[in-house]
Every structure is written in structure tokens, then in C-alpha cells.
Amino acid sequence: MPNLSGKSTQSESRKLLGRLREALAEDSEGQKRLDRITSLIADSIATEVCSIYLFRDQDTLELCASEGLKAEAVHQTRLRLGEGLVGRVAKSGSIVNSANAPSERGFRFMPETGEEIYSSFLGIPVQRLGETLGVLVVQSKDARSYSEDEVYALEVVAMVLAEMAELGAFVGDGAALSARHQHPVMIRGGVGQEGTAVGNVYLHEPRVVVTNPIADDPQAEEIRLDAAVDTLRVSVDELLLGAVQGDKEQLQVLETYRMFANSKGWMRRIKEDISRGLSAEAAVEKEQSTARTRMSQVPDAYLRERLHDLDDLSNRLLRILTGQGKDTGAEMPQNAVLVARNIGPGELLEYGRSLRGIVLEEGSVGSHATIIARALAIPLIINASRITTEALNGDYILVDGEQGIVHLRPDDSVKAAFHDKIAMQTTAAERYSSIRDKPAITLDGTEIRLSMNAGLMADLPSLESSGAQGVGLFRTELQFLVRNKMPRRGELVELYKRVLNAADGQRVNFRTLDIGSDKVLPYMKPQDEPNPAMGWRAIRLGLDKPGVMRMQLQAFIRACEGRPLTVMFPFVAQFDEYIQAREIFEKVLENEARLGHILPERVEIGAMLETPSLAFAPEQFFEMCDFISVGGNDLKQFFFAADRENERVRKRYDTLNVSFLSFLEGIVERCVASGTSISFCGEDAGRPVEALCFAAMGFRALSMRPASIGPVKNLLRRVDLAEAKSVIDAARASGAQSVRPAVVEWISNL
Ligand code: PEP
Ligand code: MG
């Protein structure tokens, strides 16, 4: 097809697609179809070689059909991802077009194919929604670079091949021709919430299936596209009108939508693809696939977000064109494991406890969805790359929230091993439930109070089931995070009343709002801070803008209806912050009395110790403060200067590092000297070995996720704290960096 341009190229391209469609429509098996396609392409564009390589596993490409290369090489020639020019195309997801292939970087000559006589090479990734399924290659003897038009025509062909592969048109013998979405797949991600789950995939947003990638009548397709884009524009405008007034972020996203929906470049590219013979939906999907590949390569987070917006918009357009709604009528399977690219906190709450597990392609440990999954104790894996392209509704799936691994369509040996693991957990769970109503008393008779962390109404049933002695940390900001507008005081009173009622007389430590840092309220102006974890957050914000804090304190007092009240302020870094917060509380209390509200029979006002500075506060602080709760998550990140959300640095510093442990011991000593009660409420309190070491350092109250209470209590009841302390002291004296190895060894010999 050399030297063709404009309209004639388009009609050539359409002719090629027309022949392709005939070949695909023939009732034959996958291999025959592939053979037919390669010979048809070679003939159509007058080139000596046309080959199709497909993945046989994640890392290996296999030559599956060829016109021109030696027949005996088919299904024998294999390349690793990144190996040779074909491997390079697959790895980079971009085209290689060379007149002199042997001179190209990475060229690798495969003698069994007889390709040594071919000089020019054009390799095009066969991609669907940004996922590379294989490579389409043409080669010729004469040293020529394939023209832009030829490249373009083959890109369109590659797109059709990808669609047909997805629909199972090439299924045949051998791994490379096995049906898609049937292999077992193991994906390694990150742990958002621990726990294990066995279930069936339920896609949050099912994929749109394009069943007719090729169309004969470009005009009719353009009309369909224009009509769909009009519908899309109207729906985006409606969204804009309905957007929460003043919610800048939401408006910004919708404006981006509008920008793309009106973007000439985007439409032009789609229309060009249509004129080459693609159906409207296939053309939209081709553009979406290119954008996805770009997305994975863009380092700038802002730009990546905009490309995500474009992706969402393409999905909307595809749904309009195909008539496939978001709700495909797929029933939620039993034991549903939700699979999504990402999900908002509100949507996740709607699914609630009906889910066994959640697997997200994106997400982060500090995201709101993670906070909700934790509160609901649903195992969550984040950063599970490719999960949304690999998984189909109903697929069998194993979620290993301990290792951060997902097994999709696992084979029998993996299933068996996983079931063994669950059986062991069940046995342990039975053991924990048998001690649920027993106290956490060590062998030497020391009682450790174990309470739970909470923040959502969904947490409340755990008070009963876990055997927790009250709520050691109630993160009030979660209620603010899951709404799209500021809750009113009356609503808060009702919420806090429900919490106190559920606690049934047990202590509840309400923490005032800890917003800022990673917890940004959707309805508050975001602060553009370079380092939000050390920025204007928690009590800093509360003291500078005391309106919300006052409202919250009033709500606590009213919810108590005379019962005792305990309140703590987060992130107190120096004495005067505590004094000011306490003064505000006292004024609110006076005012409530004046308004005739019943006051709590007793009030305790505590501070969270989350910055090393507070450990060195004046004696008077410890005397004035009713109780101290160590927020180990923040304290540890500031002690080691290691971001708690940055896996790479977070894991570097062990909580049982002797410096940190001795620092904690010093804090306990100061509290004991001043008679201030002290507890520990960071995540580490829920890890049995850590909890034991904290108890050995003198902590007598720990607060943790409800699911951790059983394992922690089980260990505490088996140990003598004085012995544990001597093991720790010996490890410290030996110059060890962490006391963990010594303590773990000691526990294993109990
Ligand atoms: C902590 O920092 O340890 C803590 C309990 O608070 P949060 O995790 O909510 O910051
Ligand atoms: Mg904290």
C-alpha cells in the first residue's frame, strides 16, 4: 500500500478490514483464523512477512502465526518480554519501525525463522485497554521504513485483533492460544487491610464489550458517534449543574470532562479511526487504550489524574454507544470480592459488609476507602496491577491480606494451600473466642486493659464480639470524611449517643477531629501544603479555627446526658496547645450549663502524644493532663523521620528498635511519676509481639483494631512480664538494633 494517502488510503484500510471481517466470520478454529489473517495482511500491504506473536505467559511471547517466516518456527520461537525487537514492542507498548532492523538496539536474530534476509521491520503492539496481548509484525527484504499510512492501517488492524482475542476468536491448542481470562493469575499488591477471603469476583464497573469492531459504513458510524457525544455533553453539563456548590475539586473534574468532551483532537482521532473502518465504539476504545498506555508512563500525578478523567469519559461514551449500562444486571455473587480500579468511601459503605474482600488496582494505605475497609474489617489489597483487566465477574478469587497477594482462578494446589491457611486461622479464631470474656492477665498477675479503635457506626457491633474493654480511640474525623457536607451538631449528638449506648458504660475516648494531613474533608478548602503530615492539621487547625471544635465538644457533652465523658486532643506538640484546648472545653462546658444542658458526671481531658517533643514537656503538663494516649503511628514516623505511608522507608525501622522502645519506656516513667494514666493506641498495639513489649515497658492499656484483641490477649495470658522485661533488657545491653529476634525466640520456647 505504498504512497497512498488521504481518502484512497482510508478506503484501502477499510478494504483490508472488510477482508479481515470475512476471515474472522468464517467458522474455523483459532489457528486457521490467525493463519488466514497473516496471509491476508501480507497480501494486502504487499510485504513479504506478516507474523503474530501472542503471550503464552506473562513474560513470554510466542510466534503464533506467520506468512513468510519458516512454518516450523511457528509455536517454537519464543521471546522474553523485552527481548529482541518484538519483545521491545511488547514491553514498551510502542511501535518500532525500522528500515534496517539488524542495526536497531536490542535486535536479536532468530535463526529458526529464516528472518535474516529481511531488512525492514514494523512491530505494532496488539493492545486492549492499555494491556498488551501480543505483537503484530510485518517485515520486508528491501530496506524501507513503513509509511505513516501503513503504520496507521496496521494499528487499526491490531486493535481489531485485540478485540477478537478478547472475544475468544483465536482460541486453540497450547498456552499462547488458550482462552483469555482462564489462566490462573497471581498478582502481588500491597496490604490495605489484613485478613483472608475466598470468593467470587464482583466488578464494581464491568467492562464494556465491543462485539463489532469493524463497520462498513463510516458515515453511519460518525452519525452514531456524534449522537453519542451529544448525549455525553448533555450529561456532563447536567453533572456540572448538579455539582455541590463551592466544591471546587468536583467542579474541576467536571470541567476537565467538559474540556475533553469538546476536545477537537480527541474527536478527530476517533473519527479518523472510523474512516479507516472501525466501528464507533472500537474507535473510542482504541483512543482509550492509547491514553491508558500513556497514563502508565506519565510521572506527573496531576496529569495522570487528568488522563484518568479522560478514561472515565471514554467509558461513559462507550456505555452510551453500546447501550451497556453500568448496571449490567450481573447479580452480586455469593461471597463477593469487589474488584475495582479505585472506589470512593461512600460507594464502599454502600456495599458494606456484604463483601468478603476488596481488590483495588490503585488505592493507598491512607486513602478513605482503606480507612472504611479497615473499619469494616474487610480484607483489602491495594495496587493490584492489571486486576481489572484480568478479572471477570464470577471468577474464583483468593485474597491473601497478610502477604498482599491475590490469586485469580487459582489451580487446585494453590486452593488447597490457601484453605489450610484459613483452617489454621479458624482454629486460632476459635481459641480467641474462648477467651473473649476473660481478662488479659499475664502469668505474673498484671492486668492489661485492651480496648478497641473505632470511628464508624459499623464498628460498634465489634465492641460486643471482640471482648474489647471500651473504645480507646474513637476517630471522630471518619464521620466527617464519609459525608459530602459538614455534619450538623444535632447529627453528631445522635451519633455520639449511639456510640456511648453501644459501649454500655465502658469508657470511650473521643478524639477531636484529626483532619489535615492525609485526611482532607471533601467540603473544606484543600490546603496546598508541601508536607501535610507536618502541616496545619489536628489540634493546630482546631485552635486556629475553633468553631468546629466547639461544636464537637458541645455534641460530646450533650450526647453524654450526664454519663462520664473522656475527650482527647490529637497531635499536641507543646504544653500551651493542651492548655488552650482545655480552656476552650471549659468555656463550652460553662456555656452548656448556662443553656441548661445536663453536664457529664465526670470529665477527663487527655492529650495524644504523637510528636517526640511532648515527651519532654514540662512536669506541669503531665500533672495537668488527665491521661495520655500514645499515637504510635505518628510518633514513630516523626521519631525515625520516616513517612508512615511510604512503604519503602516505613518498613526500614522496626517498632521494637531499642531507641524507640527505650523512648516509650521513658514516657511511661514520666507518666508514672506524675500519676498520669497512659495508653498506646497506634496500629502496633494490635501486633502481639509489639503489644507484649509495650506491656513489658510499663503500658497497662492498649487500644487496637477489634480483630487484634484475641491474638494479643492470647499471648499476654501466656507470658510473665518480668521475664519478658529481662529478655528485652538483655537484648538492649547486647547492642542489638531491635529486641525483636530475642523476644520472638523467647516466645517460641514458651
Ligand atoms: C496514631 O497516630 O497512632 C493514631 C492513632 O492516630 P491516626 O492513626 O489516626 O493518625
Ligand atoms: Mg495520629
Side-chain angles (χ1 to χ4, degrees):
M1 203 170 47
N3 299 327
L4 285 174
S5 61
K7 291 245 168 338
S8 53
T9 320
Q10 289 168 3
S11 68
E12 283 300 323
S13 176
R14 275 208 301 280
K15 237 185 263 163
L16 170 56
L17 283 193
R19 292 176 69 190
L20 199 62
R21 179 164 56 185
E22 279 163 28
L24 288 165
E26 276 167 25
D27 187 20
S28 65
E29 42 117 7
Q31 183 65 53
K32 286 222 177 76
R33 281 209 179 105
L34 284 171
D35 294 341
R36 206 84 179 84
I37 290 168
T38 47
S39 82
L40 193 148
I41 295 173
D43 177 50
S44 293
I45 74 162
T47 191
E48 285 113 336
V49 177
C50 173
S51 315
I52 294 172
Y53 293 80
L54 296 173
F55 277 101
R56 58 174 283 119
D57 59 48
Q58 245 165 276
D59 303 309
T60 323
L61 286 149
E62 182 171 300
L63 176 64
C64 287
S66 182
E67 173 70 27
L69 296 185
K70 287 187 184 157
E72 55 270 30
V74 173
H75 293 300
Q76 297 306 318
T77 292
R78 286 175 195 162
L79 293 140
R80 281 192 317 280
L81 188 62
E83 187 186 357
L85 295 185
V86 173
R88 188 170 120 195
V89 173
K91 188 169 182 190
S92 63
S94 45
I95 293 169
V96 171
N97 184 4
S98 171
N100 184 2
S103 71
E104 286 292 319
R105 172 174 58 86
F107 174 80
R108 186 169 160 333
F109 150 65
M110 302 287 208
E112 72 277 15
T113 61
E115 67 179 345
E116 64 274 19
I117 49 175
Y118 302 107
S119 175
S120 34
F121 173 99
L122 168 62
I124 296 189
V126 176
Q127 281 180 322
R128 187 172 184 278
L129 296 179
E131 184 197 10
T132 304
L133 313 181
V135 180
L136 172 65
V137 175
V138 289
Q139 292 171 282
S140 73
K141 281 187 196 148
D142 53 336
R144 65 169 173 123
S145 192
Y146 288 90
S147 72
E148 228 175 83
D149 282 330
E150 287 166 319
V151 173
Y152 198 85
L154 287 178
E155 269 189 285
V156 170
V157 169
M159 197 271 153
V160 173
L161 290 180
E163 282 313 315
M164 300 321 291
E166 176 74 13
L167 293 175
F170 308 131
V171 173
D173 294 337
L177 297 191
S178 64
R180 283 178 48 70
H181 308 296
Q182 289 195 355
H183 293 295
V185 175
M186 195 266 266
I187 297 174
R188 207 173 274 281
V191 177
Q193 160 67 20
E194 286 146 18
T196 43
V198 176
N200 301 95
V201 168
Y202 185 64
L203 292 169
H204 177 51
E205 278 212 322
R207 267 191 302 278
V208 174
V209 187
V210 175
T211 46
N212 58 335
I214 305 170
D216 313 314
D217 183 353
Q219 263 119 20
E221 292 304 299
E222 266 203 37
I223 292 169
R224 285 183 63 225
L225 177 73
D226 286 337
V229 170
D230 282 345
T231 313
L232 178 74
R233 281 201 194 108
V234 172
S235 75
V236 170
D237 287 345
E238 275 167 7
L239 280 176
L240 260 169
L241 279 177
V244 178
Q245 283 303 315
D247 183 342
K248 280 209 184 122
E249 220 171 314
Q250 197 182 351
L251 286 173
Q252 212 177 1
V253 170
L254 293 173
E255 280 298 351
T256 319
Y257 266 28
R258 180 139 79 174
M259 193 182 87
F260 281 125
N262 292 316
S263 152
K264 294 225 165 54
W266 188 55
M267 284 299 285
R268 183 176 41 75
R269 288 191 298 274
I270 295 174
K271 286 193 174 168
E272 265 167 24
D273 290 331
I274 289 178
S275 68
R276 304 264 168 173
L278 287 188
S279 65
E281 44 271 60
V284 172
E285 204 179 82
K286 177 168 175 282
E287 190 54 30
Q288 185 181 24
S289 191
T290 314
R292 280 207 181 172
T293 312
R294 235 181 294 148
M295 192 145 65
S296 61
Q297 288 157 0
V298 170
D300 180 85
Y302 177 81
L303 259 181
R304 233 183 6 246
E305 267 312 305
R306 298 290 75 82
L307 284 168
H308 268 324
D309 295 343
L310 176 60
D311 198 62
D312 286 340
L313 196 72
S314 304
N315 276 335
R316 277 172 188 269
L317 193 53
L318 280 174
R319 289 185 197 290
I320 297 170
L321 278 165
T322 58
Q324 294 168 23
K326 223 180 192 181
D327 180 8
T328 53
E331 293 238 333
M332 189 185 274
Q334 285 228 314
N335 304 327
V337 171
L338 189 79
V339 169
R341 206 177 72 201
N342 215 339
I343 190 166
E347 289 169 307
L348 192 48
L349 272 176
E350 265 171 38
Y351 287 111
R353 289 188 196 274
S354 59
L355 302 174
R356 280 294 162 115
I358 307 162
V359 183
L360 300 180
E361 197 151 309
E362 297 170 2
S364 76
V365 271
S367 77
H368 302 162
T370 306
I371 293 171
I372 306 282
R374 281 198 186 141
L376 297 172
I378 302 173
L380 162 70
I381 307 288
I382 52 173
N383 297 328
S385 60
R386 307 189 339 273
I387 187 72
T388 57
T389 30
E390 288 283 2
L392 289 186
N393 263 335
D395 275 349
Y396 193 79
I397 187 169
L398 306 175
V399 178
D400 183 342
E402 257 74 58
Q403 309 285 330
I405 292 175
V406 179
H407 297 278
L408 192 63
R409 305 177 287 264
D411 57 32
D412 289 345
S413 62
V414 173
K415 270 190 205 168
F418 202 80
H419 280 104
D420 287 350
K421 187 172 174 161
I422 290 184
M424 272 169 62
Q425 286 174 348
T426 313
T427 317
E430 279 161 7
R431 193 167 53 239
Y432 305 147
S433 78
S434 72
I435 55 169
R436 192 192 65 172
D437 299 320
K438 301 206 167 120
I441 298 187
T442 58
L443 293 180
D444 54 297
T446 312
E447 178 162 5
I448 314 289
R449 184 185 175 89
L450 303 183
S451 49
M452 65 175 241
N453 295 345
L456 293 170
M457 292 305 113
D459 293 324
L460 299 182
S462 303
L463 260 165
E464 170 81 25
S465 59
S466 67
Q469 296 170 279
V471 179
L473 163 65
F474 191 88
R475 290 180 164 107
T476 57
E477 63 276 5
L478 299 194
Q479 290 296 339
F480 285 68
L481 278 169
V482 296
R483 283 154 201 260
N484 48 23
K485 62 180 198 298
M486 180 76 84
R488 285 197 304 271
R489 187 179 51 206
E491 288 175 80
L492 293 180
V493 174
E494 286 314 307
L495 282 171
Y496 301 152
K497 237 188 240 177
R498 279 172 63 191
V499 178
L500 289 166
N501 291 346
D504 196 21
Q506 304 243 49
R507 184 184 170 106
V508 176
N509 292 343
F510 285 110
R511 169 173 86 178
T512 59
L513 281 187
D514 180 3
I515 45 173
S517 186
D518 64 310
K519 299 167 192 152
V520 183
L521 298 186
Y523 41 88
M524 268 178 88
K525 193 166 149 237
Q527 300 297 318
D528 192 12
E529 293 184 309
N531 209 336
M534 293 198 266
W536 197 49
R537 59 175 281 201
I539 195 169
R540 300 171 180 178
L541 201 151
L543 292 176
D544 293 352
K545 298 252 180 244
V548 181
M549 187 151 108
R550 269 194 218 109
M551 171 179 86
Q552 228 192 343
L553 296 174
Q554 285 170 334
F556 293 145
I557 295 168
R558 293 183 194 178
C560 280
E561 297 176 310
R563 291 173 281 196
L565 169 64
T566 47
V567 174
M568 59 186 185
F569 294 103
F571 217 66
V572 176
Q574 57 183 11
F575 188 14
D576 87 320
E577 288 167 341
Y578 178 75
I579 297 175
Q580 284 177 43
R582 204 175 165 117
E583 280 171 4
I584 292 177
F585 182 83
E586 271 153 19
K587 283 212 184 95
V588 170
L589 200 64
E590 273 170 34
N591 208 35
E592 288 296 287
R594 215 172 303 127
L595 291 170
H597 291 288
I598 317 172
L599 299 188
E601 76 179 54
R602 191 165 20 95
V603 176
E604 284 185 58
I605 301 181
M608 283 190 72
L609 195 154
E610 305 187 86
T611 62
S613 61
L614 201 65
F616 303 97
E619 194 49 41
Q620 288 82 346
F621 161 71
F622 288 90
E623 282 163 7
M624 182 189 276
C625 192
D626 295 329
F627 67 96
I628 282 174
S629 182
V630 173
N633 305 335
D634 275 313
L635 185 63
K636 189 180 158 198
Q637 81 166 334
F638 296 116
F639 187 79
F640 289 110
D643 188 341
R644 64 192 260 187
E645 283 185 33
N646 180 339
E647 288 299 294
R648 192 184 270 170
V649 297
R650 185 182 71 78
K651 286 203 181 127
R652 217 179 159 96
Y653 304 102
D654 189 354
T655 304
L656 300 184
N657 173 299
V658 292
S659 310
F660 191 55
L661 215 50
S662 302
F663 179 58
L664 292 176
E665 187 180 34
I667 297 170
V668 175
E669 280 165 6
R670 289 204 74 184
C671 288
V672 170
S674 60
T676 318
S677 67
I678 179 163
S679 62
F680 189 108
C681 68
E683 292 301 308
D684 286 321
R687 303 194 169 99
V689 179
E690 278 83 337
L692 161 62
C693 292
F694 297 159
M697 292 295 104
F699 281 93
R700 296 294 173 260
L702 304 170
S703 188
M704 61 200 72
R705 286 189 289 124
S708 301
I709 291 180
V712 167
K713 191 191 284 184
N714 185 48
L715 178 61
L716 288 175
R717 287 170 59 87
R718 292 169 53 220
V719 296
D720 179 300
L721 278 191
E723 269 182 47
K725 175 80 174 12
S726 65
V727 172
I728 291 171
D729 286 344
R732 287 198 282 195
S734 75
Q737 180 165 280
S738 162
V739 306
R740 186 181 303 275
V743 174
V744 169
E745 154 98 31
W746 174 70
I747 293 173
S748 66
N749 290 321
L750 283 177

